[in-house]
Amino acid sequence: TCSLLRSPKGFPKLKNDTFLRAARGEETEHTPVWCMRQAGRYLPEFLETRASQDFFATCRSPKLCCELTLQPLRRFPLDAAIIFSDILVVPQALGMEVVMVPGKGPTFTEPLKEVEDLLKLRQKVDVTAELGYVFQAITLTRHSLEGKVPLIGFSGAPWTLMSYMIEGGGSTTMAKAKSWLYRHPEASHQLLRLLADVIIDYLVGQVAAGAQALQLFESHAGHLGPELFQDFALPYIRDIAQAVKSKLKQEALPLVPMIIFAKDAHYALRDLAHAGYEVIGLDWTIRPQEARAQIGEDITLQGNLDPCALYAPKEKIGELVKKMLESFGTQRYIANLGHGLYPDMNPEHVGAFVEAVHAHSRHINKH
């Protein structure tokens, strides 16, 4: 249970380090597995816990975040937990208001429209003051996990956050945000730099609070082509890895593995392989062998079952997992979906996915 904070240090000893070993490229007995959005609406207990609370109020409650993070681990033998939070807490820390609109999703009450709107953003963010609730949730969850599995912290990447801040919510074209890149490149870089600086402090703070790995979500990479990605996304993705690592060293904090997940960015896999991350997450639209050929042997891959495969009958899920493991190989590999779980998925099918990864990878490793 998520009882209130004990001392931030003195964390319980880790019992299952398979995920961390795979991330670092060490040998594992089975392929570790976790799911993006594993703490989520597909679980009845999640809906029950969330019922009375506004979404972002939930994000600001360390006890509720802890409870929601632990729920999937009570059901499934997952190899990692990921803290329950949202990427849009970073724009909130910059002073923007975001509300969760039922049926529509996250919505900014006043998106950025003109370059002048950048002046409304906080130019210096004290992450402990603005995002300390996430740090508390991580510390509390790390204790409450009792060393069962490692805890992953995360952030959205600058371009993805920028696109939300300008679009004011989700968008199929990202036309407003992309028009900034073409019309106001300097202001775009100014905003991306501001975001990157906050993200760096935020990720370092998560490690100080107890996160044992970090994932950076560039969820809207697919809206950029190779040129725009090269100019407006990649430099910041690189910079975040470098700066986080050097700050962790300076502060004598553990150098945790970092994962980059740039959805639909096949065109950038070679560049991402040199961006300073131990793990590259893949979406479901690329063949594992092709990704491995572009990324090389010394980076761990994570992914990439089509989330909709979980609608298949359980036996079929097992077959798809076996095929996926044969394509990736069982080493230097973390099994996951190619994006997050959907709210109408059957928890039993999620369990079948997790168990199939363990069973088939053990079998392949033995033979």
Side-chain angles (χ1 to χ4, degrees), residues 228-344:
L228 288 179
F229 187 87
Q230 192 80 39
D231 288 348
F232 295 101
L234 186 65
Y236 300 97
I237 288 171
R238 264 198 206 119
D239 190 51
I240 287 166
Q242 221 175 339
V244 166
K245 288 175 181 190
S246 86
K247 287 200 171 196
L248 291 175
K249 273 191 189 132
Q250 277 166 18
E251 296 179 27
L253 289 165
L255 278 178
V256 302
M258 293 178 73
I259 308 165
I260 175 67
F261 176 63
K263 189 172 179 292
D264 297 322
H266 317 150
Y267 55 78
L269 290 177
R270 285 178 201 280
D271 289 325
L272 290 170
H274 299 108
Y277 292 77
E278 285 70 28
V279 183
I280 295 180
L282 302 169
D283 61 73
W284 71 90
T285 61
I286 186 154
R287 290 192 174 89
Q289 297 91 329
E290 283 176 26
R292 179 55 83 195
Q294 292 186 53
I295 288 165
E297 298 299 322
D298 9 319
I299 286 178
T300 295
L301 301 182
Q302 175 177 282
N304 75 338
L305 191 71
D306 180 353
C308 292
L310 298 191
Y311 295 123
K314 288 189 206 168
E315 310 69 67
K316 178 72 177 159
I317 294 171
E319 288 165 31
L320 292 166
V321 164
K322 181 169 181 273
K323 197 176 153 200
M324 179 171 81
L325 284 159
E326 286 164 354
S327 301
F328 276 106
T330 58
Q331 301 296 323
R332 261 218 182 273
Y333 172 52
I334 297 161
N336 204 314
L337 304 172
H339 199 228
L341 288 160
Y342 300 141
D344 63 349

Side-chain angles (χ1 to χ4, degrees), residues 121-315:
L121 299 175
R122 281 192 188 103
Q123 302 303 307
K124 270 275 170 260
V125 175
D126 174 346
V127 291
T128 308
E130 299 300 330
L131 295 167
Y133 60 88
V134 180
F135 302 155
Q136 288 171 5
I138 287 173
T139 302
L140 179 55
T141 306
R142 176 82 188 268
H143 281 297
S144 306
L145 273 167
E146 296 176 329
K148 196 172 175 178
V149 293
L151 179 61
I152 304 169
F154 70 91
S155 173
W159 154 249
T160 295
L161 296 179
M162 169 182 173
S163 63
Y164 273 114
M165 290 159 76
I166 293 171
E167 296 290 341
S171 155
T172 49
T173 59
M174 298 291 161
K176 291 178 189 156
K178 285 178 73 175
S179 83
W180 272 55
L181 304 181
Y182 285 110
R183 285 165 48 224
H184 314 301
E186 283 175 28
S188 296
H189 279 300
Q190 198 186 326
L191 174 54
L192 291 162
R193 182 70 263 163
L194 177 64
L195 284 162
D197 289 342
V198 176
I199 291 163
I200 289 160
D201 289 344
Y202 180 44
L203 290 173
V204 171
Q206 291 186 47
V207 176
Q212 290 153 291
L214 297 168
Q215 178 154 315
L216 190 67
F217 284 88
E218 189 69 282
S219 312
H220 295 169
H223 292 278
L224 304 176
E227 280 76 23
L228 288 179
F229 187 87
Q230 192 80 39
D231 288 348
F232 295 101
L234 186 65
Y236 300 97
I237 288 171
R238 264 198 206 119
D239 190 51
I240 287 166
Q242 221 175 339
V244 166
K245 288 175 181 190
S246 86
K247 287 200 171 196
L248 291 175
K249 273 191 189 132
Q250 277 166 18
E251 296 179 27
L253 289 165
L255 278 178
V256 302
M258 293 178 73
I259 308 165
I260 175 67
F261 176 63
K263 189 172 179 292
D264 297 322
H266 317 150
Y267 55 78
L269 290 177
R270 285 178 201 280
D271 289 325
L272 290 170
H274 299 108
Y277 292 77
E278 285 70 28
V279 183
I280 295 180
L282 302 169
D283 61 73
W284 71 90
T285 61
I286 186 154
R287 290 192 174 89
Q289 297 91 329
E290 283 176 26
R292 179 55 83 195
Q294 292 186 53
I295 288 165
E297 298 299 322
D298 9 319
I299 286 178
T300 295
L301 301 182
Q302 175 177 282
N304 75 338
L305 191 71
D306 180 353
C308 292
L310 298 191
Y311 295 123
K314 288 189 206 168
E315 310 69 67

